[in-house]
Amino acid sequence: MTLSDTLHLSFKAIMSYRIRSILIVFAMALGVAAVIVLTALGDGARRYVVNQFSSIGTNLLVVMPGRAETSGSFPGMVLGQTPRDLTLKDAQLIGQLPQVKRYAPLNVGVAELSAANRLRDVTVLGSNANILPIRHMKLAQGSFLTQGSGHSAQIVLGAKLAQEFFPRTNAIGQRIRLGENRFLVSGVLVPQGESMGFNTDEVVIIPIDYAQSLFNTTSLFRILVEAKSHNQIQSTKQAILNSLKQSHDGEEDNTVITQDAVLATFEKILHALTLSVAGIAAISLIVAGILIMNVMLVAVNQRTTEIGLLKAIGANTTDIRRLFFMEALWLSLAGAIIGFLLGQFGSLLIRLIYPQLPAWAPIWASLAGVVVALITGILASLLPASRAAKLDPVTALSKK
Amino acid sequence: MIQLTEITRIFHMGDQAVHALNEINLSIKSGEYVSIMGPSGSGKSTLLNIIGLLDKPDSGHYELDGKIVTDLSETEQAQIRREKIGFVFQTFHLVPRLTAAENIELPLILSGLAPKERHTRVNEALLAFELQDRAQHRPSELSGGQRQRVAIARATIMRPTAILADEPTGNLDHQIGAEVMTLLENHHKTGTTLIVVTHDRELGARAHRQIAMRDGKIMIDQANDTI
């Protein structure tokens, strides 16, 4: 029997048991679609987080006071020391390192903002002019805290705040109170929305000196550092640690985290999540495979006399085995293709409903879904096919 | 030429061994018309199955056209069934989801013949068995006589050297049965060996050579003098 005849005959068999075939194909398609949609979700979440995290800066390093200790106690405690704070002097020291492109010291606090009978609490960022390029923020209008004019009482408003306090007038040049002090609005930020749970539309930025006096502190919350290039991130980290250690009398009491490392961790976790979700979905494919096996076994049983007849008119075991094998292959192939389309359609729906979630199934997942469907289909057909091929023609023909 | 030598076939029913065929010796020349008769369980169907290579004897050997076929592989036996033997069954055994034409075509498909050639052969057969207006009907839409005609067309489409019919008229009424027998006999006249298993005496009497079996043995083997 030629291959095309085998394909044709097995296809005819599938078409004549329509409901049975539709149900199996549906089960198989659902499994493939589940793999594709779920990995699309998982990978979409990963891409979403990575995008968010990348958007907060490039080649970013964050210097924090204190040191994450695994020994459980800070060594300085024995000597009655506490971890040293980060200071503006430390920030300047870091700024002098050759690997550092720019740095921005950072203080964060909450203060009352008031103007024209309006009043609300806002998050205050104290920094210098570098915070803008480092954090990928943009000005909508006006000018930022100009470098060197750190002592003038300027304030930059988040987009939403500018809208709230000066709904009808231009915010630039207006006077506004922050805590006890009066500031001149010098600029307004471009609305960015939330990123990493931090909404830049509702913050104000003031020069670091003012922030320190506002919050009555000399220490810094963070120092944000941008390395000159991606390759220099590690050496920058080392250089910062060394220089801080020197200025802190040999005590390593600071932590530097790199955006890269955090990003890699996020990616790893979310990739593992995607994989495990895909694995769970793949179980449904195996269930579909078992379904195919069951249905093919029933088919062999139903068509016993037909198999006997085929043998009587000269079909050999290979012919019979191939017929049943092809039948299962058709079913799983149809299931795989329909499932693939269904999965792509499902991912599209998710992207339409949640436009911020890039729910594209990775190619490996689509491929794996289809391939696993075919393989389970093929494996599931082996037993029924060989059972059909081994039927004794005389017994088969005499079956009523 | 069919040559059976000391063919024995034993079935096991529980712990009891039943000799369906007990050291049968039989020789049937090419082009003969033989009827095999006997009561149920006499071994006549088993004999036919062994001749048709559907069943294997437990001992003895079987020579077909000068070649011992008992020890051939399954695939080689399938090829012989395909090329040299045509089966006709009491219950027709048509594939229910295929049309009359497709059922007739099946042996040609199994032999790997090109579709074009198959088409011509099937059309010839449909014409010969007066089934041309039934070609696209499924077996469930055909009468018993038509079904058996489809089955005979299928059995003869490969131009076999022997046609083995197991109670070919068993499910048909008398008149239709007679018509079906005429078809088989007409085909026999073209030189094909025809072996018919039946327990209908009248039908058996039409054969040129009559074999009567009982308990797995041939009791009578005689030429029909009246023809």
Side-chain angles (χ1 to χ4, degrees), chain A residues 14 17-31 288 291-292 295 331 335:
Chain A
I14 285 167
Y17 298 95
R18 202 154 297 173
I19 291 177
R20 178 207 80 166
S21 304
I22 287 172
L23 286 177
I24 299 186
V25 166
F26 185 61
M28 200 46 127
L30 225 53
L291 203 71
I292 287 194
V295 161
L331 291 172

Side-chain angles (χ1 to χ4, degrees), chain A residues 1-2 5 9 12-13 16-17 303 305-306 309-317 319 392-394 397, chain B residues 49 54-55 74-75 78-79 81-82 87 89 93 95-98 102 106-107 109-110 112-113 118 154:
Chain A
M1 192 159 36
T2 63
D5 284 329
L9 273 183
K12 261 196 132 75
S16 59
Y17 298 95
R303 283 186 251 156
T305 50
E306 185 186 319
L309 167 87
L310 285 173
K311 288 200 162 184
I313 62 175
N316 54 38
T317 49
D319 293 332
D392 169 50
V394 175
L397 278 168
Chain B
N49 287 337
L54 283 182
D55 203 356
E74 197 278 335
T75 310
Q79 193 185 347
R81 285 201 294 271
R82 193 160 64 220
F87 275 99
F89 303 95
H93 283 315
V95 179
R97 59 173 183 278
L98 300 181
E102 287 165 340
L106 266 181
I109 292 175
L110 289 172
L113 210 65
R118 291 197 315 239
R154 182 181 63 194

Side-chain angles (χ1 to χ4, degrees), chain A residues 340-367:
Chain A
F340 177 80
L341 296 176
L342 216 61
Q344 296 300 338
F345 180 69
S347 312
L348 177 73
L349 274 187
I350 292 172
R351 291 196 298 273
L352 288 177
I353 297 169
Y354 304 104
Q356 66 271 43
L357 195 69
W360 295 92
I363 294 166
W364 64 259
S366 303
L367 218 69

Side-chain angles (χ1 to χ4, degrees), chain A residues 328-343:
Chain A
L329 196 64
W330 276 121
L331 291 172
S332 43
L333 191 70
I337 292 171
I338 293 172
F340 177 80
L341 296 176
L342 216 61

Side-chain angles (χ1 to χ4, degrees), chain A residues 163-277:
Chain A
Q163 182 62 31
E164 278 177 359
F165 278 88
F166 308 105
R168 274 179 276 286
T169 51
N170 187 350
I172 307 294
Q174 301 286 338
R175 300 213 163 264
I176 197 163
R177 276 187 89 84
L178 182 67
E180 304 288 294
N181 304 313
R182 289 160 71 82
F183 287 87
L184 188 71
V185 178
S186 74
V188 176
L189 293 172
V190 164
Q192 264 187 322
E194 206 157 314
S195 82
M196 299 301 289
F198 186 70
N199 194 341
T200 56
D201 298 349
E202 293 186 60
V203 298
V204 299
I205 307 174
I206 57 173
I208 186 79
D209 305 349
Y210 284 90
Q212 289 198 328
S213 77
L214 185 66
F215 303 128
N216 191 24
T217 178
T218 53
S219 64
L220 293 174
F221 174 61
R222 298 279 188 271
I223 303 171
L224 305 181
V225 180
E226 187 178 328
K228 276 186 177 142
S229 72
H230 189 260
N231 303 333
Q232 279 177 305
I233 291 176
Q234 276 315 311
S235 68
T236 311
K237 178 179 176 178
Q238 213 45 58
I240 291 171
L241 282 175
N242 290 342
S243 90
L244 287 180
K245 189 177 174 182
Q246 254 172 29
S247 75
H248 289 194
D249 304 329
E251 200 69 69
E252 243 186 72
D253 53 3
N254 295 286
T255 307
V256 176
I257 56 168
T258 65
Q259 182 189 19
D260 247 32
V262 178
L263 201 61
T265 311
F266 269 124
E267 262 201 85
K268 236 191 223 158
I269 292 170
L270 286 162
H271 192 68
L273 185 84
T274 306
L275 275 181
S276 57
V277 166

